[in-house]
Amino acid sequence: MSGRFVRASKYRHVFGRSTRKEQCYDNIRISKNAWDSNIVKANPKYLAVNWEASGGGAFAVIPLNEKGKAPEQLPLFRGHTAVVLDTDWNPFNDNIIVSGSDDGKAFIWRVPEDFTLHTDGDEVQDVAPVAKLTGHSRKVGHVLFNPSAENVLATSSGDFTVKIWDIEAGSPRLTLKHTDIVQSLSFSVNGSLLVTTSRDKKLRVWDIRQQQPAHVGPGHAGAKSSRAVWMGEHDRVATTGFSKMSDRQLGLWDIRNANAPLNGFDMLDSISGVCMPFWDDGTQCLYLAGKGDGNIRYYEFDNDSFEYLSEYKSADPQRGIAFMPKRGLNVQENEVMRAFKTVNDTYVEPISFIVPRRAEVFQSDIYPPATGSKPGMNCQEYFSGKEAIPPKIDMESVYNNEAPTEVPSDYKPPPPLTPMPVPEARKPEPPKEAPQPSPAMRAPVSMKEQGASMSNMASKFADSKNAEDDDDDSSSFEEVPKPVERAQSKPTAKVEKVEPAPAIIQNPLEPPTPSMWKPAAAASSTATSTTPSQPAAPTSAPSSTDSNLQSSLGEIKALLQQQKTTMAAQSEMIVQLHSEVDTLKRNVATTSADTGEKDDRIRFDADSFLKSSWSISDDSGKGLWSGKAPEGAEKRGEQEAEGEEEEILDKGEE
């Protein structure tokens, strides 16, 4: 044995069968609007298509039995002042359809009896809406009927809200507020919960009647649109979206613990088109159709995971797709699902998904009871809090072309979700006491404070013992900083403006004089005199204050005496430096005179040598060579003499 096992499934061999173009719905002008919607919607009787029309928005309704090429002029459903973005059929009345438009309104339409595209008259009469729902301030991007309650509608808008409407009253009953544009929405099987995805990359599960989210968590991390679909009677949600690297993903979420997808995200491919999910509760299969590609994948849900079954492949890409409700399928041919896809924006092609069986009898194992056309509750019961699902029908009655037979449902409603805790409102803080205004009068300055201020001012002239000497500066002079005036505190009361005293510029080599701080004292006394009058303070001061003042004055005198001593020492050093400079100058002059005498002597010897004739002989007296100095020798001798002179001068300067 090879050890290879194949998972058992009734739908493992499901295949998609395309339709010849003669049996398609041709000559259709499909809307080219870029809004992310399914474009087409289907029910057992009609097919709705968003139409490319001028002069406002419109959509077309095509009877399913009128296949082939549509006439050039056909009746349209007109009434919107802007392009139609989305449509949806009433699940309990095949003649009622709702549309949402870019004009911010949702219209309710009724298909006329015996409606057909082929008219006998020359003029084609359009269909008008029977009701108008106004309440959104921006475009209505998605419309969706409640799958359990009759005449309950959900609409999402660009104003970041989802409104739940009572169609009978024509008014919104509930509002679900989001923080960004809603990209998709899907009801639970009993219609009490709603899952939404939005552009802020959040997945929200709403308790509709409480108007609060039971869960808000991160969804797909990609920037492109994401979709969500409720998986029938399961408390699970399937989502499609994109990763940060723009890879298409599939996620499975538990609504009671939706902080992260079960088993993580499954990567599908790297195609850029949005993936549209559709759930079939009868076969427990999930269908994924991508925008911009012609493939349709289908998975079977088992043990909290999606098991890949197969894929319908086509070379014709689709922009929109719709799936037929279960009660509209061809049961005699074992058709378990039928899709309607747009092709090249010119025609709609039906695709049948069939389970191959040789038997020609009803296959009860692949056709469990399906949802019928009767609601589970009316509008008033829904808004009062009732929970129910629509009654189911036996598919064998559909196989025998009989009236649908209702069967009892074994559905057990799940326990209610606990809404997310609302953050507690912060308790209002007690009002802070207003700051008390400071008194207008400034307290008089005591003698002790005045003495301390003068002491601090005098310390500015003290030498800094820890100051670091500059390595490059060999001078011992120190610059005496300018004394800083004491900042006057601003009184709170209005006082007269006092002109600042002119600054006194003093030579840094001269010791500071007491006149330097006289203007500050004068300004202080002036400011004090401008304050409002107050009761006179006692003028007598303790004797300790006088002694402190006398000691401060003594310290100032000592500092001045020390500064004079330092200046005298610096003056003596300057005189000594002058004498050393004069000595160096005399030495340089003496060296220059000696050098000049030596230079003259060298020139005289060279001239005598060059002008005389000389000869060279060996030890025996035999002459070897005689003559005069070669040409140029005189010039070279002068250059050598000048070089020696410069060398002597350099040594003298050193």
Side-chain angles (χ1 to χ4, degrees):
M1 296 178 63
S2 62
R4 181 178 179 182
F5 297 94
V6 178
R7 176 182 164 274
S9 174
K10 296 175 289 187
Y11 309 104
R12 186 161 55 91
H13 300 290
V14 172
F15 68 94
R17 185 180 65 188
S18 60
T19 306
R20 298 193 307 269
K21 191 171 182 180
E22 293 78 12
Q23 298 298 318
C24 297
Y25 305 93
D26 198 3
N27 196 27
I28 296 175
R29 294 188 289 274
I30 299 173
S31 174
K32 295 180 175 58
N33 189 271
W35 176 252
D36 182 24
S37 68
N38 294 341
I39 300 178
V40 294
K41 288 293 179 68
N43 71 2
K45 294 175 63 176
Y46 301 105
L47 178 69
V49 182
N50 296 351
W51 200 261
E52 183 69 19
S54 59
F59 65 95
V61 173
I62 304 171
L64 292 181
N65 55 2
E66 296 185 6
K67 299 179 181 180
K69 190 173 183 179
E72 294 295 333
Q73 298 292 330
L74 51 82
L76 297 177
F77 287 64
R78 292 182 180 272
H80 288 288
T81 58
V83 62
V84 174
L85 301 178
D86 194 21
T87 57
D88 191 39
W89 291 100
N90 191 327
F92 312 115
N93 190 336
D94 292 339
N95 295 323
I96 299 296
I97 187 173
V98 63
S99 64
S101 172
D102 205 359
D103 58 7
K105 300 179 179 63
F107 289 174
I108 308 297
W109 313 76
R110 181 182 295 275
V111 181
E113 294 292 336
D114 301 327
F115 179 76
T116 179
L117 299 180
H118 303 277
T119 57
D120 297 334
D122 295 336
E123 294 184 1
V124 178
Q125 185 176 1
D126 294 331
V127 181
V130 297
K132 299 180 180 181
L133 306 178
T134 59
H136 288 293
S137 59
R138 298 288 183 87
K139 62 182 178 183
V140 177
H142 298 92
V143 291
L144 184 65
F145 274 103
N146 191 297
S148 179
E150 187 178 18
N151 294 330
V152 176
L153 176 70
T155 60
S156 69
S157 172
D159 58 7
F160 306 163
T161 62
V162 173
K163 292 185 180 295
I164 309 299
W165 298 79
D166 179 0
I167 295 179
E168 297 176 357
S171 60
R173 298 288 297 273
L174 304 171
T175 301
L176 312 179
K177 297 181 180 180
H178 293 68
T179 59
D180 211 328
I181 293 179
V182 177
Q183 295 175 336
S184 70
L185 64 163
S186 179
F187 279 103
S188 62
V189 65
N190 60 2
S192 62
L193 301 177
L194 183 74
V195 59
T196 61
T197 60
S198 57
R199 199 167 58 183
D200 59 2
K201 306 175 186 178
K202 299 290 185 181
L203 178 70
R204 293 176 173 85
V205 179
W206 294 85
D207 187 345
I208 298 177
R209 300 183 184 96
Q210 299 295 329
Q211 303 185 64
Q212 294 180 3
H215 166 77
V216 178
H220 295 270
K224 296 182 181 179
S225 179
S226 61
R227 297 286 192 94
V229 61
W230 203 287
M231 297 172 56
E233 297 179 5
H234 301 284
D235 53 356
R236 299 287 188 269
V237 172
T239 62
T240 59
F242 292 84
S243 66
K244 290 183 178 179
M245 303 302 294
S246 297
D247 296 325
R248 289 202 292 196
Q249 295 176 330
L250 172 63
L252 175 65
W253 307 77
D254 182 359
I255 62 171
R256 302 185 183 280
N257 186 17
N259 296 320
L262 300 176
N263 305 320
F265 290 111
D266 295 333
M267 193 185 75
L268 302 176
D269 49 39
S270 299
I271 301 177
S272 60
V274 177
C275 202
M276 299 174 284
F278 299 90
W279 172 253
D280 180 16
D281 203 29
T283 61
Q284 300 290 296
C285 291
L286 178 70
Y287 294 82
L288 302 180
K291 285 192 173 185
D293 60 271
N295 304 336
I296 302 176
R297 300 181 180 90
Y298 36 98
Y299 300 79
E300 186 176 7
F301 177 69
D302 187 22
N303 295 328
D304 273 345
S305 65
F306 291 115
E307 301 293 341
Y308 177 77
L309 293 177
S310 185
E311 181 178 8
Y312 169 78
K313 296 183 179 181
S314 173
D316 299 323
Q318 66 254 355
R319 285 186 56 235
I321 194 168
F323 281 78
M324 174 73 72
K326 207 73 173 180
R327 56 190 173 88
L329 300 178
N330 188 351
V331 185
Q332 286 80 8
E333 295 184 0
N334 296 333
E335 184 183 35
V336 294
M337 183 59 73
R338 187 189 307 167
F340 297 87
K341 58 175 286 187
T342 64
V343 180
N344 299 328
D345 293 339
T346 57
Y347 68 95
V348 177
E349 176 187 4
I351 300 172
S352 297
F353 293 89
I354 297 174
V355 178
R357 295 285 177 93
R358 290 185 178 181
E360 296 181 357
V361 296
F362 176 69
Q363 306 294 315
S364 60
D365 60 333
I366 61 175
Y367 288 110
T371 303
S373 58
K374 291 185 179 180
M377 51 189 160
N378 57 32
C379 183
Q380 289 75 17
E381 292 174 340
Y382 174 79
F383 287 110
S384 63
K386 182 180 178 180
E387 292 188 6
I389 65 172
K392 295 187 176 182
I393 60 174
D394 186 7
M395 293 298 292
E396 188 173 2
S397 61
V398 178
Y399 178 84
N400 297 327
N401 293 324
E402 299 175 356
T405 304
E406 294 185 6
V407 296
S409 174
D410 57 354
Y411 171 73
K412 295 180 180 179
L417 291 177
T418 303
M420 293 183 63
V422 180
E424 298 181 359
R426 295 183 178 179
K427 296 181 180 180
E429 298 180 358
K432 297 182 180 180
E433 297 182 358
Q436 298 295 333
S438 57
M441 301 295 295
R442 189 178 67 173
V445 181
S446 62
M447 295 295 295
K448 185 175 182 180
E449 292 177 353
Q450 292 181 0
S453 176
M454 296 176 67
S455 176
N456 292 335
M457 188 181 301
S459 64
K460 300 293 182 179
F461 301 96
D463 294 334
S464 177
K465 297 180 180 180
N466 299 327
E468 297 180 357
D469 297 332
D470 191 355
D471 296 339
D472 298 334
D473 188 6
S474 61
S475 175
S476 61
F477 291 97
E478 295 180 1
E479 182 179 359
V480 179
K482 183 179 179 179
V484 179
E485 296 181 1
R486 182 168 60 89
Q488 299 292 333
S489 58
K490 297 181 180 181
T492 56
K494 184 177 179 182
V495 298
E496 296 180 1
K497 184 176 179 182
V498 179
E499 295 294 333
I504 299 176
I505 301 175
Q506 183 166 347
N507 189 348
L509 297 179
E510 295 180 3
T513 59
S515 61
M516 294 179 64
W517 52 74
K518 284 182 180 180
S524 175
S525 61
T526 306
T528 306
S529 63
T530 56
T531 56
S533 61
Q534 60 178 359
T539 57
S540 62
S543 59
S544 59
T545 304
D546 296 337
S547 61
N548 291 335
L549 181 60
Q550 294 296 332
S551 61
S552 299
L553 294 177
E555 291 176 358
I556 294 173
K557 292 179 180 179
L559 289 174
L560 294 177
Q561 186 64 31
Q562 184 180 359
Q563 193 70 18
K564 290 180 180 180
T565 304
T566 303
M567 296 297 294
Q570 291 175 352
S571 300
E572 293 178 359
M573 187 175 295
I574 291 173
V575 173
Q576 184 179 356
L577 290 174
H578 276 295
S579 63
E580 291 179 358
V581 170
D582 294 339
T583 303
L584 289 175
K585 288 182 178 180
R586 288 193 298 271
N587 292 338
V588 170
T590 305
T591 303
S592 299
D594 296 340
T595 302
E597 294 177 359
K598 185 177 181 180
D599 187 25
D600 294 339
R601 189 165 55 254
I602 290 173
R603 285 198 181 107
F604 175 78
D605 294 340
D607 292 341
S608 302
F609 172 76
L610 294 175
K611 292 179 180 179
S612 62
S613 299
W614 47 274
S615 62
I616 299 175
S617 62
D618 55 7
D619 296 337
S620 60
K622 185 179 179 179
L624 298 179
W625 183 85
S626 62
K628 293 185 178 181
E631 296 181 1
E634 182 177 359
K635 185 177 295 186
R636 287 197 299 272
E638 293 178 357
Q639 293 178 353
E640 292 176 359
E642 292 178 357
E644 291 181 1
E645 181 181 358
E646 292 179 358
E647 183 178 357
I648 293 171
L649 290 176
D650 293 340
K651 290 183 179 180
E653 291 179 358
E654 292 178 359

